[in-house]
Amino acid sequence: MQLLGRLADLRGLLLPCYLGAALVASALATLAVAGTAHLTLAALCVALAGAGCPPLEGALRSLWPCILPDDAHVRTAYTLDSSTQQIVYATGPALTIAIATWLSPAAALALAAAVTAAGSLAFATTPPARTWRAAPRRRERLGVLRPPAMRPLLCSLVFLGATVGALDVAGIAVADRQDASWLAGALPAAFSAAGLLGGVLFARFQPPTTPRPYHLMLLGAAYTACWLPLLAPLPAPAVLLLTLLPGSLFVPLLTVASLTVTALAPPGTSTEAVGWISSAIRLGLAGGTALAGPLSGHFAVPLMAAAGCALLLCARTAPAPAPAATPV
């Protein structure tokens, strides 16, 4: 994804969107036809689909400063984007399972391939996407990662994603312990619904200026504190209600972190920077799920991940001041 994002910053949005759509559609279509009997081929298709994901999110966020009237609207767009992603996280797996059950797993994969291709083509053919070009960039080995504050910030997003990955396993574990099968799906759904509501409220009452480093630190500390009540032995309905607390802060925290990443990114690297955000969150999702399994889905896992996120956010995240001009 980072490579396609870098290509978008260098050559425009059309080529990486078309290329990514072709890679994902081909990989998913192959998997739908061949199935999973050949594990090597299936793993290759999955890896290709993940690596070739079109940089639509980064491209969209790169377009906002060009098509929206001011920074306040851009910040609101970031918040609403992060909020609507919660709808995808909640409905995407459920819709996939429903299609696979009613039709077949191959039909679900084929539909995913078609939707990816159609969505990418629809976005890439819009006038703003066709004409957008990134600002000139310096040729540097580290690229987006050059600012010292960028690396701890992206690492904090890995921990943030881990909280969500661990929550999915925790929901299954709590549902099994309390013989409440409904909780396995209701817990991540409640978290996503709270994230959507929190994002809408944040968009309505967000600070009038660009987020400051202390906003990140406060949100990170509050997000960590919201996981603490879930450590207590509680009945299933109470667990569901308390999950709304961290869920309501997830989108505001992700939004402010994303805005900070964009502010830190060197000129001409905006699309690639958002690709790093997505990759960090997805890496955290996978890591949180993998770690929560051996630990029986205990809520201590998302708590520790949230604490790691908060500690990393205490690092310097403000853009470095521009050097003073040399007197002539």
Side-chain angles (χ1 to χ4, degrees), residues 16-105:
C17 287
Y18 291 151
L19 179 59
L23 289 174
V24 174
S26 300
L28 293 180
T30 301
L31 188 59
V33 173
T36 58
H38 303 285
L39 292 181
T40 302
L41 178 61
L44 180 62
C45 289
V46 170
L48 183 61
C53 187
L56 297 181
E57 185 178 357
L60 181 61
R61 294 186 176 190
S62 295
L63 288 177
W64 283 335
C66 303
I67 61 178
L68 294 177
D70 52 42
D71 290 343
H73 284 81
V74 171
R75 293 195 299 271
T76 301
Y78 264 83
T79 307
L80 295 178
D81 182 28
S82 298
S83 299
T84 53
Q85 287 181 29
Q86 302 306 302
I87 301 176
V88 176
Y89 292 146
T91 61
L95 181 61
T96 302
I97 293 172
I99 295 173
T101 302
W102 294 336
L103 300 176
S104 67

Side-chain angles (χ1 to χ4, degrees), residues 226-297:
C226 286
W227 288 101
L228 286 170
L230 289 165
L231 295 180
L234 299 167
V239 172
L240 185 65
L241 288 175
L242 287 174
T243 305
L244 301 177
L245 295 177
S248 64
L249 288 179
F250 178 80
V251 168
L253 178 54
L254 177 59
T255 300
V256 175
S258 300
L259 287 167
T260 307
V261 168
T262 304
L264 286 168
T269 63
S270 59
T271 310
E272 183 185 352
V274 177
W276 279 102
I277 295 173
S278 300
S279 296
I281 293 291
R282 292 178 183 181
L283 179 61
L285 285 168
T289 302
L291 182 61
L295 296 178
S296 303

Side-chain angles (χ1 to χ4, degrees), residues 120-305:
S120 300
L121 292 176
F123 173 81
T125 53
T126 60
R130 291 200 309 267
T131 58
W132 179 85
R133 291 295 182 273
R137 60 185 291 169
R138 296 169 55 186
R139 293 185 176 274
E140 294 178 307
R141 184 171 58 88
L142 292 178
V144 171
L145 302 179
R146 177 174 60 85
M150 183 70 80
R151 282 156 272 173
L153 181 56
L154 289 174
C155 288
S156 73
L157 292 177
V158 175
F159 282 95
L160 181 62
T163 63
V164 181
L167 175 67
D168 292 341
V169 180
I172 297 172
V174 173
D176 183 61
R177 286 196 298 266
Q178 302 201 19
D179 194 24
S181 58
W182 57 269
L183 192 61
L187 206 64
F191 185 91
S192 296
L196 177 61
L197 178 60
V200 171
L201 292 175
F202 184 76
R204 176 65 180 83
F205 300 106
Q206 63 178 312
T209 59
T210 302
R212 306 298 184 192
Y214 71 86
H215 291 140
L216 273 177
M217 289 185 274
L218 289 175
L219 284 170
Y223 184 69
T224 303
C226 286
W227 288 101
L228 286 170
L230 289 165
L231 295 180
L234 299 167
V239 172
L240 185 65
L241 288 175
L242 287 174
T243 305
L244 301 177
L245 295 177
S248 64
L249 288 179
F250 178 80
V251 168
L253 178 54
L254 177 59
T255 300
V256 175
S258 300
L259 287 167
T260 307
V261 168
T262 304
L264 286 168
T269 63
S270 59
T271 310
E272 183 185 352
V274 177
W276 279 102
I277 295 173
S278 300
S279 296
I281 293 291
R282 292 178 183 181
L283 179 61
L285 285 168
T289 302
L291 182 61
L295 296 178
S296 303
H298 199 281
F299 278 107
V301 179
L303 173 62
M304 290 186 296

